[in-house]
Amino acid sequence: MSSTAVPKRVVLNRSQPTDSSVPSVSASPFDSPRQSPSSTSLSSMASEQERIKLLDTYGNEFRIPDFTIKQIRDAIPAHCFHRSAITSLYYVFRDMACLASIFYLTHHYVTPETIPSLPARVVLWTLYTIVQGLFGTGIWVLAHECGHQAFSPSKVLNDSVGWVCHSLLMVPYFSWKISHGKHHKATGNLARDMVFVPKTREQYASRIGKAMHELGELMEETPILTATNLLLQQLFGWPMYLLINVTGHNNHERQPEGRGKGKSNGWFGGVNHFSPASPLYEAKDAKLIALSDLGLFLTGLGLYFIGSKYGWLNLLVWYGIPYLWVNHWLVAITYLQHTDPSLPHYQPEVWNFVRGAAATIDRDFGFVGRHIFHGIIETHVLHHYVSNIPFYNADEASEAIKGVMGNHYRTEAHTGWTGFFKAMWTSSRLCQWVEPTEGAQGESQGVLFYRNTNGLGVPPAKMAK
């Protein structure tokens, strides 16, 4: 069928597909890293010439990456790998000081005595929760640096600072560190990735109670439903990920550590970030999981003491609502790093590390992104190739690898901080499930792109009833 996809990332409603075929294109000889000896035969060359274009959701042609991780690392200046404990600790103390100062000023000066107007106090305390959520997210990002050993050359210092900072935010540090490391090792792999793994066409159809061939014929979702799904994702996405591995893969019996027999995502499936018996971990990780739980227990005790002494409503405003803001930012950032109409996902037989790491996207969040979130939004592509480069060297390293990646480097930085919020809506509407480009053959069948029932971008493949 002809592509009515919208080129150059301009999203419009698509028209009804026709029965004509998608134009063919000569494929790159680097598309497959495992070519057979017969790949230079005349029949193979003809097959390459007849191969269907791979199309992302916008209708732009996609070529499988052909560079290597060595080329990426060699392009980065050596000094970008330097980690400074003093510099990293400065940012921790700076952010902690900001959190303490904001609390002190608001607690002492936004009172009935100083500000008699109740609506004014509500506005100022609401602003307090938002700003504390921003700096709390910054602390989370610094602990994330610790988890990747990008904080300093000392593993003991990294894990000590990471454990303290994450525990204060009710995050199980070592438990998260281990599962997050697996995410980095399998980014974009539909069978092994650990976060925001998209549904396949079959899974999505099953979820909404339809047959696979019906997906191209359904009416679009209402904006209210899209908004509701987004709200639920932002409110509950992070705790649900920790509790039941929502958005993570559900192939636990097939993982190399072999602890997933009989276990699956869900409330009683045994897959979570708190149990040493979870298939997310190996037996040798048990002490680290227990230490993570201890950090949460100690923080919980501290919060219980504060609530008992100063009032639960105060605790809600001082800590609870800022905590929800931190969760919101974590989910939003991670979702938009790995969910975009231009990004591919791979079946395990055609996945490799270089391909998966390129299936991420950089964005821009202005002053907050650069100076409070420590660049986690702006330099995420680099982070997936070399995760132990500290954030204060990441901009230079990102520029260095763009020449190697070429058009495989994806960014939406030109849309600015408003584009970040717009992308949440766009991705929610366009990115419902993944499937191969219609007519794809051979290895290309293992490269999947987002499709949707909202009439946006490339139509879903037509399937026989």
Side-chain angles (χ1 to χ4, degrees):
M1 59 185 164
S2 64
S3 171
T4 54
V6 181
K8 304 302 182 184
R9 308 183 65 86
V10 180
V11 183
L12 299 173
N13 286 336
R14 59 172 180 254
S15 60
Q16 290 297 319
T18 66
D19 292 330
S20 59
S21 61
V22 178
S24 61
V25 65
S26 297
S28 166
F30 299 104
D31 275 2
S32 171
R34 295 183 293 274
Q35 291 180 343
S36 66
S38 63
S39 62
T40 56
S41 68
L42 291 178
S43 59
S44 297
M45 292 172 64
S47 177
E48 289 290 321
Q49 291 174 350
E50 294 170 1
R51 193 164 64 177
I52 299 297
K53 282 183 181 180
L54 297 180
L55 298 177
D56 69 17
T57 317
Y58 289 117
N60 298 317
E61 183 180 0
F62 175 81
R63 298 279 184 141
I64 298 175
D66 56 3
F67 50 88
T68 66
I69 187 61
K70 183 179 186 304
Q71 289 175 298
I72 290 286
R73 296 186 69 92
D74 288 349
I76 300 172
H79 64 265
C80 290
F81 292 89
H82 176 69
R83 299 163 291 173
S84 169
I86 293 176
T87 301
S88 297
L89 286 170
Y90 157 75
Y91 283 105
V92 172
F93 289 125
R94 186 204 73 170
D95 288 2
M96 290 287 192
C98 287
L99 286 167
S101 299
I102 293 166
F103 174 79
Y104 177 85
L105 291 173
T106 311
H107 180 63
H108 284 83
Y109 296 104
V110 183
T111 65
E113 294 75 21
T114 56
I115 302 179
S117 170
L118 177 60
R121 293 200 307 275
V122 170
V123 169
L124 290 173
W125 275 105
T126 299
L127 182 62
Y128 159 89
T129 66
I130 295 172
V131 176
Q132 292 291 76
L134 294 176
F135 279 103
T137 304
I139 293 291
W140 197 102
V141 173
L142 293 174
H144 169 265
E145 293 270 296
C146 293
H148 285 290
Q149 306 304 309
F151 190 83
S152 81
S154 169
K155 187 176 186 298
V156 172
L157 177 62
N158 295 340
D159 286 341
S160 298
V161 173
W163 182 77
V164 170
C165 290
H166 264 180
S167 295
L168 290 174
L169 295 169
M170 296 301 289
V171 177
Y173 171 72
F174 291 103
S175 307
W176 161 85
K177 174 185 172 182
I178 295 168
S179 67
H180 187 68
K182 293 182 179 181
H183 159 61
H184 271 257
K185 292 176 182 177
T187 305
N189 186 319
L190 288 171
R192 292 174 47 216
D193 202 352
M194 298 296 297
V195 64
F196 284 111
V197 180
K199 291 178 173 59
T200 62
R201 183 176 186 136
E202 179 181 12
Q203 292 166 338
Y204 184 81
S206 176
R207 184 176 75 87
I208 64 174
K210 299 291 182 179
M212 287 194 290
H213 73 266
E214 294 179 291
L215 291 185
E217 305 167 1
L218 298 176
M219 295 183 65
E220 65 178 301
E221 288 185 358
T222 65
I224 292 178
L225 180 57
T226 300
T228 300
N229 290 336
L230 262 179
L231 179 62
L232 293 174
Q233 172 183 286
Q234 296 309 120
L235 278 177
F236 303 111
W238 175 244
M240 295 292 278
Y241 173 67
L242 295 178
L243 286 167
I244 62 174
N245 200 42
V246 68
T247 82
H249 76 73
N250 201 18
N251 296 308
H252 305 290
E253 294 196 17
R254 300 181 181 180
Q255 300 309 304
E257 58 267 26
R259 290 161 53 86
K261 186 175 181 179
K263 298 179 181 177
S264 61
N265 297 344
W267 287 107
F268 305 105
V271 184
N272 61 65
H273 282 72
F274 306 105
S275 170
S278 171
L280 301 179
Y281 314 111
E282 300 179 44
K284 65 182 178 63
D285 300 322
K287 292 181 179 179
L288 295 176
I289 309 309
L291 186 56
S292 299
D293 293 344
L294 175 63
L296 302 185
F297 176 74
L298 294 175
T299 300
L301 277 182
L303 294 174
Y304 179 81
F305 171 78
I306 293 172
S308 300
K309 183 172 183 178
Y310 299 102
W312 298 104
L313 182 59
N314 281 334
L315 179 62
L316 175 66
V317 176
W318 295 346
Y319 182 93
I321 298 178
Y323 168 80
L324 292 178
W325 276 114
V326 172
N327 288 357
H328 154 72
W329 289 118
L330 296 181
V331 173
I333 291 168
T334 308
Y335 175 67
L336 291 182
Q337 286 169 339
H338 300 284
T339 309
D340 186 84
S342 69
L343 297 180
H345 285 77
Y346 298 90
Q347 295 289 8
E349 60 270 16
V350 300
W351 176 91
N352 63 38
F353 178 81
V354 169
R355 293 175 178 182
T360 56
I361 188 168
D362 287 343
R363 303 183 191 275
D364 185 86
F365 204 56
F367 177 87
V368 171
R370 292 287 181 184
H371 301 286
I372 300 180
F373 291 171
H374 307 297
I376 196 171
I377 295 172
E378 290 79 5
T379 59
H380 194 69
V381 175
L382 165 79
H383 176 67
H384 266 275
Y385 280 112
V386 190
S387 59
N388 63 346
I389 289 181
F391 73 90
Y392 42 82
N393 292 335
D395 280 319
E396 182 180 357
S398 288
E399 287 299 319
I401 70 171
K402 289 178 184 178
V404 176
M405 295 187 68
N407 60 10
H408 293 292
Y409 171 75
R410 289 174 176 77
T411 179
E412 283 284 278
H414 61 281
T415 64
W417 68 271
T418 58
F420 182 88
F421 291 108
K422 291 177 182 176
M424 292 187 67
W425 183 259
T426 299
S427 292
S428 296
R429 297 282 284 166
L430 273 74
C431 303
Q432 294 182 332
W433 76 86
V434 291
E435 65 181 42
T437 298
E438 187 168 17
Q441 300 293 322
E443 184 183 49
S444 297
Q445 290 181 302
V447 185
L448 282 62
F449 299 91
Y450 287 106
R451 301 291 185 254
N452 62 84
T453 63
N454 285 319
L456 299 171
V458 174
K462 294 178 67 176
M463 300 184 68
K465 296 183 180 181

